[in-house]
Amino acid sequence: MLREDALYASYRRLERPLYNVLYRQLWQAEDCQDVIHDAFVRVWERRAKVDEATLDALVWTTALNLARNRLRWRRLWRQAPLDEAEAMMEGAGDTDFLATRRLRQALRELPAAMRDVLLLAEFSGLRGAEIAAVLGIPAGTVASHKHHAMERLKALLGEPVDA
Amino acid sequence: MRELERLLPELAPPPGGLARLQHSLQARRKPLRPLAWCWLPAAAGTCALALLALAWLPGAVRQREQTAALARVLRQAMAPPPGGIQVVHGAALALPSGQADVRIYLVQTTAAGGDHDDR
């Protein structure tokens, strides 16, 4: 049985890493906030069956599933996030805007499984086996996915591969 | 230091997320309507049924009374005259009844006065 204070503690722990991972998938701050909020609410609704020991992993899985659903919905309705345009209008430099756009394009070109592994490895603080459990993939593939994703990302962005 | 620190700088989430979650959970804890209002649909249903019953009852009683009155009149009409059937100077003609235990006779007086047709 999940306690309310344990849920809030999990929120404090995970809000920042969740936001960073989700932002690189949704590229829209409000969507990220909504997904994080909805993920915690969904977990709370199932609190009778939630083990606090696996709470963080459950939140990660729920949030990533919700983000995927949102991306599917966007593709269905051909919606595009507005954050890039907003950032430009608010006076962000052209260089920042273009760099963000290139990064976004590069991340989009990565296979979804590799992108998820890369982002979780960068921001979540989870170990390889935990990332594998959250994404439902074999533990052995996490390290190789991460390695290939980093190489491809750097190549797509024109970065030195061994940097 | 993360490997992709420069490419993927760490962003700070917008403030207010935890407060929003706390507010949502509090809203879910509260009953949507006060307890007294929960009885409102049941009470309204009971009242509606009572009104229907009140509207239907007089008609039903009246119909029952009419049926009883008709039955009484029919019983009176079908009852034999006091003292039973008496045929004086009469003749009877047997008619086919269609039932084994029923006999039908056409009774007619042959003299003036006291005309009766009875079965």
Side-chain angles (χ1 to χ4, degrees):
Chain A
M1 176 73 178
L2 174 62
R3 291 169 297 118
E4 202 170 335
D5 56 343
L7 187 81
Y8 294 147
S10 174
Y11 191 95
R12 288 188 197 93
R13 263 195 317 276
L14 297 185
E15 185 188 19
R16 196 178 184 96
L18 272 171
Y19 182 79
N20 275 278
V21 169
L22 295 174
Y23 190 80
R24 269 68 182 218
Q25 296 185 342
L26 300 170
W27 300 98
Q28 219 274 343
E30 282 184 9
D31 271 6
C32 293
Q33 280 184 299
D34 288 348
V35 166
I36 295 170
H37 171 269
D38 293 352
F40 276 93
V41 169
R42 286 202 179 190
V43 168
W44 179 246
E45 283 172 348
R46 287 181 286 165
R47 60 189 173 277
K49 296 177 184 171
V50 173
D51 178 6
E52 287 180 10
T54 56
L55 172 60
D56 287 5
L58 180 62
V59 171
W60 274 108
T61 307
T62 309
L64 290 172
N65 283 337
L66 289 174
R68 281 186 206 113
N69 290 345
R70 199 162 282 231
L71 285 172
R72 255 182 240 127
W73 190 84
R74 272 192 200 161
R75 274 196 293 273
L76 188 66
W77 297 100
R78 300 178 190 282
Q79 280 195 342
L82 296 171
D83 267 17
E84 279 184 353
E86 283 170 3
M88 204 164 190
M89 287 168 72
E90 283 168 9
D94 286 358
T95 317
D96 290 349
F97 173 74
L98 291 173
T100 305
R101 190 166 191 173
R102 278 178 56 215
L103 175 65
R104 186 178 160 186
Q105 188 63 34
L107 282 172
R108 189 183 289 163
E109 287 181 25
L110 288 179
M114 281 190 191
R115 185 179 58 232
D116 288 348
V117 168
L118 179 72
L119 292 174
L120 284 175
E122 277 295 304
F123 294 110
S124 71
L126 297 172
R127 290 189 295 273
E130 293 168 326
I131 291 174
V134 164
L135 296 177
I137 58 175
T141 58
V142 170
S144 65
H145 269 9
K146 184 186 169 189
H147 178 73
H148 290 307
M150 283 177 80
E151 279 192 343
R152 284 188 69 171
L153 187 67
K154 285 176 180 173
L156 287 166
L157 292 170
E159 296 277 321
V161 171
D162 293 322
Chain B
M1 182 76 179
R2 291 184 293 108
E3 287 182 71
L4 297 177
E5 182 77 54
R6 202 173 57 77
L7 290 177
L8 300 170
E10 190 159 356
L11 306 171
L18 182 60
R20 181 184 172 195
L21 179 66
Q22 287 169 332
H23 183 76
S24 292
L25 296 196
Q26 273 179 357
R28 276 156 203 273
R29 241 196 324 266
K30 283 182 199 163
L32 291 177
R33 290 175 292 188
L35 199 59
W37 293 102
C38 293
W39 293 99
L40 191 62
T46 309
C47 286
L49 282 175
L51 284 173
L52 277 174
L54 284 174
W56 170 80
L57 201 61
V61 168
R62 198 179 315 118
Q63 193 175 10
R64 195 181 174 85
E65 283 173 352
Q66 283 174 350
T67 306
L70 182 62
R72 197 165 51 244
V73 168
L74 283 173
R75 269 198 304 274
Q76 284 172 356
M78 292 170 69
I85 299 171
Q86 291 181 344
V87 180
V88 181
H89 305 300
L93 178 67
L95 299 175
S97 77
Q99 291 182 37
D101 55 347
V102 176
R103 298 282 181 272
I104 301 174
Y105 295 95
L106 176 64
V107 180
Q108 247 182 336
T109 55
T110 54
D115 283 352
H116 290 288
D117 282 349
D118 286 310
R119 286 183 186 183

